[in-house]
Amino acid sequence: MAFPKRLLLIGANGLLGRMVQESIPAHYDLATADLPKIDFLRPDTVAEALRKMEPEIVINCAAHTAVDACESEEAAARRINGDGPGLLAALARETRSVLVHISSDYVFDGDSAVPYREEDPPAPRCAYGRSKLAGERAILESGLERFFIVRTSWLYGPHGKNFVETVLRLAAEREELRIVSDQVGSPTLTDDLALALFRLLETDRFGIYHFSNEGSCSWHEFASAIVEGARARGQILKVREIKPIRTDEYPLPARRPPFSLLAKDKYRSATGCEVPHWRVALNRYLDRRFGSPEGK
Ligand SMILES: NC(=O)c1ccc[n+]([C@@H]2O[C@H](COP(=O)([O-])OP(=O)(O)OC[C@H]3O[C@@H](n4cnc5c(N)ncnc54)[C@H](OP(=O)(O)O)[C@@H]3O)[C@@H](O)[C@H]2O)c1
């Protein structure tokens, strides 16, 4: 492939999209698109952008990500998260582009006791998960051969709303936090996922991959580590107790998978790269946010 490679990033203003923009290696020629320029609810905008640019690579970070809203907006979720990636795959075939698409741990039911592998049967429990699975299937059925579908979980990072920032805000405002302790997964720093996407792109080992940070925790353990890490960096927080609660004590419209660890052997073997542990990634995030503890 000639350099620089023309890359179209869709969903460029979201949590992951912003980090992909920041992480882009020098040998890519980046064009970005987001609403309203590209809108999966208006397929003509997608077709026009791809046909006009004929990118060598398309990275799709756009999605309807409001998991609970998807329960009452399943038709729109299906069009954005299901039909949208299918259209992208058909256009990528036409323009001979490589497609990188992001999917989710929510395609699994969460009943497993061991980390999910790429070939495990999906069985989503909520509308968002069903719509993300529809997107994967649409790509697989499109006949496109050069694609990466990367399933990830529990994303957080510097650009936009996420669990880490919510915990930091609530811990500054309240004496008690009540956090779910019976859902286990792996937090994923957007920096590490963005890097992983470019590492996969350097290979020609197309297919479905899992990528999250290494290790596992419950939301309660994650919140405790966030508060501890912020205090170690000099933050004054009001919170005195972080109380573990069950999922049914904090009912939400969408059912979440209680266990969503993703096995990453396939990623490691394709790229030859190790995956940072979630505690290491969180420390990096907090260092950037507040300075390192040694510096205090
Ligand atoms: N966040 C997580 O914990 C998590 C976990 C697993 C997988 N994922 C997946 O990772 C990817 C990136 O997620 P994220 O957290 O970065 O999402 P995000 O911050 O919500 O960003 C999604 C982007 O898509 C855009 N978008 C929404 N509706 C659209 C439409 N109809 N047409 C075109 N663009 C549209 C949004 O624009 P507006 O902001 O203007 O609506 C936004 O820029 C998604 O595929 C998501 O399913 C996320």
Side-chain angles (χ1 to χ4, degrees), residues 6 32 62 112 125 135 150 153 198 210 217 253 260 272 284 291:
R6 281 189 317 279
T32 60
S112 179
R125 288 184 162 203
V150 183
S153 63
F198 288 111
H210 287 173
C217 59
S260 70
R284 243 189 294 136

Side-chain angles (χ1 to χ4, degrees), residues 7 9 19-25 27-28 30 57 59 100 192-203 267 271:
L7 187 157
L9 172 63
M19 184 49 71
V20 170
Q21 288 193 57
E22 277 183 21
S23 316
I24 192 156
H27 57 275
Y28 290 94
L30 174 71
I57 297 156
I59 299 184
V100 181
D192 292 342
L193 175 57
L195 191 60
L197 300 182
F198 288 111
R199 283 180 168 152
L200 283 169
L201 271 170
E202 298 302 320
T203 77
Y267 168 82
T271 61

